[in-house]
Amino acid sequence: MKKIKSLWLYVGLVLIALTALLVYVNNKSDVGSDAAKSVVDLPSEGSHEPTDNLSVEEANELMRRKTPDDTLNDLYQDYRVNNSIYMDESAVCNLGMEGLSDFVDRFKSDASFRQQRTKLVCDDGGRFDYADLNITVSDPDSTNFFSAWSAIAPNDAVFCRGFLGSEMVEEFTFQRADSLSGWFLVDYFNVTAVPLI
């Protein structure tokens, strides 16, 4: 009789444990699907705090909410870094005999200086003036058109204009031999222009 009572007690405990396990598993799967269906508590829009503690559901929701504008903004990050380098007076490209930013300011405003510092020669031996070229940094507008430095090195720099995520409309390449030399416009590309050279 004692064995039967022990057996019933054992079976009862097993049933209670199985029921608890089933309830736990059902609640766990319900929580996952509810989190995926409901709005999850994500970092605020302007927050730049680390998000490495997000659950899988929260990460999926965050990716679902990411807009094309966010992706384009991510593309602009490298340009933003290059623009900062260009504006930094202590950057290597701005040191030496002539800083890049000083050169560009003078190149934009002085026609005879542009003529002297353009290595591109037209078919007739002359040089195109480039007076109407816009070498001014501008963040992406509502159409994602922007102007920025796409590459900056101590003796090479490329300024471009175009639409984020597509081909550039215009590119200017500037170079100098070394920090003891002056900067020159050595290449120019415009997708809409008839070749001038």
Side-chain angles (χ1 to χ4, degrees):
M1 184 85 167
K2 214 172 187 186
K3 284 186 175 182
I4 293 178
K5 279 185 179 179
S6 298
L7 184 61
W8 280 111
L9 184 60
Y10 179 73
V11 169
L13 288 173
V14 169
L15 286 174
I16 290 171
L18 286 173
T19 305
L21 183 63
L22 283 172
V23 168
Y24 175 76
V25 169
N26 282 337
N27 284 342
K28 182 104 173 139
S29 66
D30 287 346
V31 167
S33 63
D34 287 346
K37 292 175 189 170
S38 67
V39 175
V40 293
D41 186 26
L42 298 173
S44 63
E45 286 296 317
S47 173
H48 290 78
E49 296 187 22
T51 56
D52 57 348
N53 58 349
L54 291 177
S55 69
V56 172
E57 290 84 11
E58 290 170 328
N60 287 336
E61 177 67 14
L62 188 61
M63 289 305 294
R64 186 187 65 74
R65 287 186 188 177
K66 194 167 180 80
T67 65
D69 290 340
D70 295 332
T71 304
L72 290 173
N73 196 23
D74 291 346
L75 287 175
Y76 193 67
Q77 287 296 24
D78 290 336
Y79 295 109
R80 200 172 272 128
V81 168
N82 288 333
N83 294 342
S84 296
I85 293 169
Y86 169 75
M87 292 185 284
D88 182 359
E89 291 179 8
S90 64
V92 179
C93 65
N94 286 322
L95 298 178
M97 182 187 101
E98 178 179 56
L100 177 62
S101 60
D102 294 334
F103 163 76
V104 169
D105 288 343
R106 191 163 174 206
F107 190 85
K108 292 189 312 186
S109 63
D110 185 337
S112 65
F113 184 75
R114 270 192 306 277
Q115 291 293 319
Q116 295 168 0
R117 294 298 188 90
T118 300
K119 288 195 173 181
L120 305 174
V121 180
C122 297
D123 290 338
D124 64 1
R127 288 185 167 82
F128 185 69
D129 185 14
Y130 297 104
D132 59 343
L133 300 182
N134 186 355
I135 308 172
T136 304
V137 171
S138 64
D139 286 342
D141 63 14
S142 61
T143 65
N144 293 316
F145 188 82
F146 73 102
S147 305
W149 292 95
S150 61
I152 294 220
N155 301 315
D156 299 289
V158 178
F159 185 82
C160 64
R161 299 177 73 226
F163 294 92
L164 277 175
S166 74
E167 296 289 325
M168 290 299 107
V169 173
E170 209 169 25
E171 284 186 348
F172 312 86
T173 303
F174 301 98
Q175 286 181 339
R176 65 180 178 177
D178 54 39
S179 63
L180 300 175
S181 306
W183 287 91
F184 286 85
L185 174 66
V186 296
D187 195 17
Y188 172 71
F189 168 77
N190 185 324
V191 73
T192 62
V194 175
L196 301 170
I197 303 167

